[in-house]
Amino acid sequence: EAADRAFRAWSRTPATNRAQILQNAASLLEQRAGTFHYLAVKEAGKTWNDAVAEVREAVDFCRYYAARAMDAGFSDRQALGVTVCISPWNFPLAIFLGQITAPLAAGNTVVAKPAEQTPLIAAEAIQLLHDAGIDPAAVNLVPGEGGIVGEALISHPKTAAVCFTGSTATAKHIAKRLAELGRSLTPLIAETGGINAMVVDSSALLEQTVD
């Protein structure tokens, strides 16, 4: 409800202002990188190198969508309303912020549900977005179990779009649920995964294969 009330003002915020706020967020991420490195290691079990890469990717997302907000013709796109973003545990900062900054750049407001395993890094990221200048009502954090909180969010009548990264089965469930609610035209962006095979022959170097 808060995100829906904030939508009117945020969608009317000039694209230049939205872009500047996302640039501010990128700069703050760089300044506070150590905190996010620590949380990625402590909470998500990342190695230090992976934690560094995670923060860099999150910075890139903020700057990328800031630039897209300034593209010629981008302002002609009509914002949809409240976007529900459901992110995974394995990229708890990069995908989390990537999902959020894309709809924010387009003038939508966001309700974000992080993976149950990584709520702390998500909370720190949301605070950073608020510190960067985004109205707290325009980007909201709702942690909790996917089957309860996620289900409630996708079923809410104010949900105008859904961004999801996770299992194929869950993505299909979300699509089915939206159809059952008579909202099969609600945009659903689903990035799903799989278990990929790797074939290694006798000419391969073991250390490269393991890496």
Side-chain angles (χ1 to χ4, degrees), residues 47-195:
T47 65
W48 186 259
N49 286 343
D50 281 349
V52 170
E54 177 102 5
V55 174
R56 286 175 177 167
E57 187 177 358
V59 170
D60 287 345
F61 272 128
C62 292
R63 297 206 189 282
Y64 175 81
Y65 287 116
R68 295 291 71 75
M70 298 302 297
D71 281 349
F74 193 83
S75 60
D76 296 335
R77 301 186 183 190
Q78 185 174 356
L80 298 173
V82 180
T83 301
V84 167
C85 297
I86 302 174
S87 56
W89 61 268
N90 57 331
F91 288 96
L93 180 66
I95 289 179
F96 181 75
L97 279 180
Q99 285 184 345
I100 293 171
T101 51
L104 285 175
N108 300 290
T109 53
V110 172
V111 177
K113 193 207 85 65
E116 297 101 296
Q117 300 93 330
T118 53
L120 297 181
I121 195 169
E124 193 71 23
I126 292 295
Q127 183 59 57
L128 181 141
L129 292 175
H130 294 166
D131 293 344
I134 297 175
D135 176 3
V139 57
N140 304 263
L141 179 69
V142 186
E145 185 181 337
I148 298 173
V149 176
E151 190 77 24
L153 292 175
I154 63 172
S155 302
H156 198 285
K158 296 293 186 181
T159 295
V162 179
C163 291
F164 170 78
T165 300
S167 73
T168 302
T170 301
K172 288 180 176 179
H173 171 75
I174 294 172
K176 180 182 178 183
R177 183 64 181 138
L178 290 172
E180 290 171 349
L181 294 168
R183 291 161 48 204
S184 56
L185 295 181
T186 299
L188 167 61
I189 301 170
E191 178 191 13
T192 62
I195 299 174

